[in-house]
């Protein structure tokens, strides 16, 4: 008989957490009306969507989506550039390594967290009400979206930079701002570039759906056709979007390999 | 002082990229008809909207309408994540190169990529005629999208495992199944669980949005109030959503930390 050491008792996380999670799961499924019976009965209705979905009207899509697709890409480009540019200084204020003032650090950090809790389409709805329907609202919404992601990623990267160069800069008598500019910023610039490309890809995906609430881009066309159940017009648009998204991702992978 | 200069090729790259970025933003701004006046006027307009939201509508009727919707979003997100987790777990083994045969892994990965390519909202309106307006549609859409994303992340975790334990099991006469159960799963479980929780955080935001097309959740409430220009009530919806997301994020993040970093042992 092998003499194994005794297994430690499971923690509270396991003994209480797992049964609780299971109960919560059952409760959630009940509350969302999870019902496979109905699903099977109504499966015949799928023809409303799937028949036209698999009979795409390509000619219509070619004629009507080009402008909106370009608009989508433009929204994503402008919003990711402006959002990331705004996030660059903010992240330095929202990091313990570069902001020595405890209170202002907390303020900036909370601000970024707050921006991050509001979903992108909520921003779009709010901005369409504030500045009017159109792509400008979409740009503002995605600026907040990319600002939030970049702020979180970059400030956490700044938290974990090597303190050596900063100490060296301080030892030569530089002010705090000079220290940050010469020793903290160059350390995170490669990460910043990588995050920027990642956020640009996210923005392309997000800008597709902005049109559903009137914030410009190709989603506007999807929404109008969806209301009339013209899924034969929607499916080619979806394919075009997929192709554009994949091309842009390949492009961004290529750039990443070139500069990083 | 003699500082070495940046190599010429790097400087060229730097200037080209800067020009490209400036040119791209100007082209976009021109195409979207964004003028200086509109940018300068935007803060005032946003200020008016925010001003119209306060004081918040905290009447009993509003609370009774909004709170169930907010919780519905929570339930949609959780149920969607559970569907994603249950189905993506076995699939991720099929997609991992070091567990499945080469061809199987490649095909499964392509399927996962295809699932991931569709945004939740597009999935949701494909399901609408089958499942009707309501939370179930949102749950299915989130669940299916989560299978794609979780499957990809989990299979990458499985591909990154340490082969040592597998060899040890093989050399002591264990079967392929034993290798999976005693070699792979204990190694990947903490990371995969934390990905599930991370996905839950993302799904919570996505489920809040799904209401826009009638797939349940708090998005419906927000868009309705904004359409009827009932700004105080829209403000209440917004604040309730923010509070829910903040609390759920905090709980989920602390559990993730505990799983990844382990228990802090006081010595």
């Amino acid at each position: 008989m092998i003499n194994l050491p005794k297994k430690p008792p499971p923690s509270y996380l396991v003994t209480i957490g797992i049964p609780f999670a299971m109960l919560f799961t059952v409760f959630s499924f009940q509350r969302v009306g999870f019902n496979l019976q109905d699903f099977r009965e109504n499966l015949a209705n799928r023809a409303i969507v799937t028949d036209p979905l698999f009979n795409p009207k390509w000619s219509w899509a070619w004629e009507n989506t080009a402008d909106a697709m370009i608009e989508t890409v433009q929204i994503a480009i402008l919003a990711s550039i402006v959002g990331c540019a705004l996030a660059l200084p903010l992240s330095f204020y929202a990091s313990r390594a570069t902001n020595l003032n405890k209170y202002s650090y907390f303020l900036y950090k909370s601000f970024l967290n707050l921006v991050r809790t509001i979903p992108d389409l909520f921003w779009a709805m709010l901005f369409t009400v504030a500045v009017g329907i159109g792509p400008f609202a979409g740009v503002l919404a995605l600026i907040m979206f990319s600002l939030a992601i970049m702020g979180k990623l970059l400030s956490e990267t700044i938290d974990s930079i090597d303190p050596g160069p900063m100490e060296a800069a301080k030892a030569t008598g530089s002010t705090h701002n000079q220290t940050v500019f010469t020793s903290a910023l160059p350390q995170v610039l490669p990460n910043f570039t990588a995050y920027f490309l990642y956020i640009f890809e996210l923005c392309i995906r997000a800008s597709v759906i902005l049109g559903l609430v009137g914030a410009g881009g190709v989603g506007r066309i999807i929404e109008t056709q969806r209301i009339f159940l013209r899924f034969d017009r929607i499916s080619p648009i979806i394919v075009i979007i997929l192709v554009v998204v994949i091309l842009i991702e390949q492009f961004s992978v290529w750039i990443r390999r070139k500069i990083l | 002082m003699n500082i070495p200069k940046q190599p010429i090729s790097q400087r060229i790259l730097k200037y080209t990229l800067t020009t490209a970025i400036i040119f791209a933003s100007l082209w976009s701004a021109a195409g979207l008809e964004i003028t200086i006046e509109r940018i300068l006027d935007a803060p005032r307009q946003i200020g008016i909207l925010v001003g119209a939201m306060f004081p918040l509508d905290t009447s009993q009727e509003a609370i009774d309408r909004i709170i169930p919707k907010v919780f519905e979003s929570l339930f949609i997100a959780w149920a969607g994540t559970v569907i994603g987790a249950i189905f993506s777990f076995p699939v991720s083994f099929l997609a991992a190169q070091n567990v499945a045969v080469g061809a199987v892994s490649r095909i499964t990965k392509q399927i996962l990529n295809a699932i991931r390519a569709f945004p939740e909202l597009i999935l949701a309106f494909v399901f609408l005629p089958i499942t009707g307006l309501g939370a179930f549609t949102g749950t299915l859409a989130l669940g299916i999208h989560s299978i794609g994303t979780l499957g990809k992340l989990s299979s990458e975790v499985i591909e990154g495992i340490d082969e040592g334990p597998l060899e040890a099991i093989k050399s002591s006469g264990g079967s392929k199944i034993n290798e999976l159960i005693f070699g792979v799963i204990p190694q990947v479980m903490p990371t995969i669980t934390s990905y599930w929780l991370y996905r839950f955080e993302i799904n919570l935001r996505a489920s809040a949005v799904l209401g826009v097309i009638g797939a349940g959740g708090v998005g419906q409430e927000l868009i309705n109030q904004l359409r009827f220009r009932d700004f105080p009530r829209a403000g209440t919806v917004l604040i309730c959503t923010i509070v829910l997301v903040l609390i759920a994020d905090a709980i989920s993040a602390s559990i993730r930390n505990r799983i990844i970093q382990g228990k802090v042992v006081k010595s």
Side-chain angles (χ1 to χ4, degrees):
Chain A
M1 188 66 201
I2 325 165
N3 212 349
L4 291 171
K6 225 174 119 189
K7 223 177 169 183
S11 71
Y12 288 120
L13 192 69
V14 176
T15 49
I16 298 174
I18 288 183
F20 177 76
M22 282 177 160
L23 274 180
F24 189 62
T25 307
V26 173
F27 186 64
S28 299
F29 273 99
Q30 271 173 5
R31 291 304 298 269
V32 299
F34 191 84
N35 189 340
L36 283 179
Q37 187 76 38
D38 283 0
F39 185 76
R40 223 173 293 132
E41 277 168 19
N42 292 326
L43 207 57
N45 288 351
R46 75 179 186 282
I48 302 172
V49 180
T50 47
D51 282 357
L53 206 58
F54 292 116
N55 284 310
K57 285 223 167 27
W58 282 100
S59 52
W60 185 88
W62 283 127
E63 279 165 28
N64 293 282
T65 47
D67 288 345
M69 201 63 225
I70 291 173
E71 195 177 279
T72 297
V73 176
Q74 285 175 329
I75 292 175
I77 291 176
L78 192 59
S80 54
I81 290 174
V82 175
C84 291
L86 290 177
L88 187 60
L90 279 181
S91 330
F92 281 94
Y93 283 112
S95 163
R96 231 186 281 261
T98 46
N99 190 347
L100 304 174
N101 187 328
K102 232 185 339 184
Y103 302 104
S104 89
Y105 158 77
F106 179 74
L107 273 180
Y108 281 104
K109 191 98 191 161
S110 322
F111 170 72
L112 285 179
N113 274 336
L114 188 69
V115 174
R116 216 163 55 84
T117 50
I118 303 180
D120 46 353
L121 221 55
F122 276 26
W123 281 119
M125 284 186 230
L126 293 173
F127 283 126
T128 46
V129 174
V131 303
I133 283 176
F136 185 46
V139 172
L140 290 179
L142 286 191
I143 286 176
M144 300 312 269
F145 174 71
S146 39
L147 174 76
I149 302 174
M150 179 58 103
K152 180 180 162 59
L153 290 175
L154 195 63
S155 64
E156 280 172 4
T157 312
I158 298 171
D159 278 339
S160 62
I161 56 171
D162 177 12
M166 288 184 70
E167 270 174 38
K170 239 175 257 166
T172 62
S174 68
T175 62
H176 181 68
N177 283 344
Q178 286 168 334
T179 314
V180 171
F181 261 101
T182 54
S183 354
L185 182 63
Q187 283 193 58
V188 295
L189 270 184
N191 299 74
F192 177 74
T193 322
Y195 296 152
F196 168 71
L197 289 171
Y198 166 68
I199 286 170
F200 176 57
E201 286 169 30
L202 289 183
C203 277
I204 289 274
R205 283 166 186 275
S207 66
V208 167
I209 55 168
L210 285 176
L212 293 179
V213 294
V218 76
R220 184 188 58 201
I221 294 180
I222 295 182
E223 176 68 2
T224 45
Q225 300 308 321
R226 184 182 76 84
I227 291 169
F228 297 115
L229 293 176
R230 291 302 298 264
F231 286 98
D232 52 337
R233 290 177 171 177
I234 289 179
S235 63
I237 302 178
I238 294 176
V239 174
I240 294 174
I241 292 171
L242 286 185
V243 171
V244 170
V245 168
I246 290 170
L247 282 180
I248 286 174
E249 279 184 6
Q250 292 304 317
F251 176 67
S252 118
V253 167
W254 177 75
I255 290 191
R256 199 170 305 172
R257 213 173 293 144
K258 263 262 168 351
I259 54 178
L260 294 180
Chain B
M1 211 162 51
N2 213 348
I3 301 169
K5 264 196 179 155
Q6 243 181 347
I8 186 92
S9 64
Q10 255 187 29
R11 263 184 294 165
I12 291 176
L13 187 70
K14 202 168 86 182
Y15 289 124
T16 352
L17 278 179
T18 320
T19 338
I21 286 177
I22 292 172
F23 182 74
S25 18
L26 287 179
W27 172 68
S28 307
L32 302 173
E33 291 172 356
I34 294 173
T35 53
I36 303 285
E37 296 98 76
R38 292 194 72 182
I39 297 172
L40 291 179
D41 202 31
R44 191 184 59 84
Q45 289 171 315
I46 294 163
I48 292 175
L49 176 67
V50 175
M53 282 182 182
F54 290 95
L56 297 172
D57 182 358
T58 49
S59 65
Q60 193 59 41
E61 190 216 341
I63 300 288
D64 284 347
R65 261 181 79 98
I66 292 165
I67 296 294
K69 283 283 173 196
V70 174
F71 276 101
E72 192 177 68
S73 281
L74 180 70
F75 296 136
I76 294 174
W78 183 261
T81 313
V82 171
I83 293 177
I86 290 174
F87 285 99
S88 73
F89 190 63
V91 171
S92 61
F93 284 91
L94 290 179
Q97 264 169 3
N98 52 352
V99 176
V101 195
V104 176
S105 146
R106 243 167 295 151
I107 293 169
T108 321
K109 270 197 181 140
Q110 285 311 318
I111 295 174
L112 289 177
N113 277 341
I115 297 175
R116 235 154 24 89
F118 292 99
E120 290 100 338
L121 275 170
I122 303 229
L123 286 174
F125 58 65
V126 172
F127 282 122
L128 269 179
I130 304 173
T131 50
L133 293 170
F136 186 33
T137 309
T139 312
L140 278 183
L142 283 188
I144 288 181
H145 190 78
S146 304
I147 296 175
T149 48
L150 285 175
K152 177 178 188 277
L153 289 174
S154 311
S155 70
E156 278 167 5
V157 176
I158 296 171
E159 280 169 4
I161 57 165
D162 179 11
E163 299 281 334
L166 302 191
E167 266 174 46
I169 292 166
K170 216 182 284 174
S171 63
S172 65
S175 66
K176 192 85 188 162
I177 301 290
N178 287 351
E179 270 179 53
L180 279 186
I181 295 174
F182 298 109
V184 181
I185 291 182
Q187 280 193 62
V188 297
M189 219 48 222
T191 321
I192 290 185
T193 325
S194 78
Y195 280 150
W196 290 347
L197 287 169
Y198 177 60
R199 191 69 218 169
F200 169 66
E201 292 170 33
I202 296 175
N203 278 349
L204 190 56
R205 291 174 173 76
S207 73
V209 161
L210 281 172
V212 172
I213 61 158
V218 72
Q220 179 104 57
E221 204 58 31
L222 183 65
I223 201 165
N224 283 344
Q225 304 310 339
L226 287 176
R227 270 185 194 144
F228 295 135
R229 295 286 182 266
D230 190 347
F231 295 123
R233 196 170 282 193
T236 317
V237 177
L238 207 58
I239 300 282
C240 289
T241 315
I242 292 174
V243 170
L244 173 82
V245 174
L246 278 180
I247 293 174
D249 269 13
I251 295 174
S252 161
S254 69
I255 298 177
R256 275 195 291 142
N257 272 337
R258 168 70 181 77
I259 290 173
I260 293 297
Q261 292 170 353
K263 197 167 164 183
V264 181
V265 182
K266 287 190 194 101
S267 56

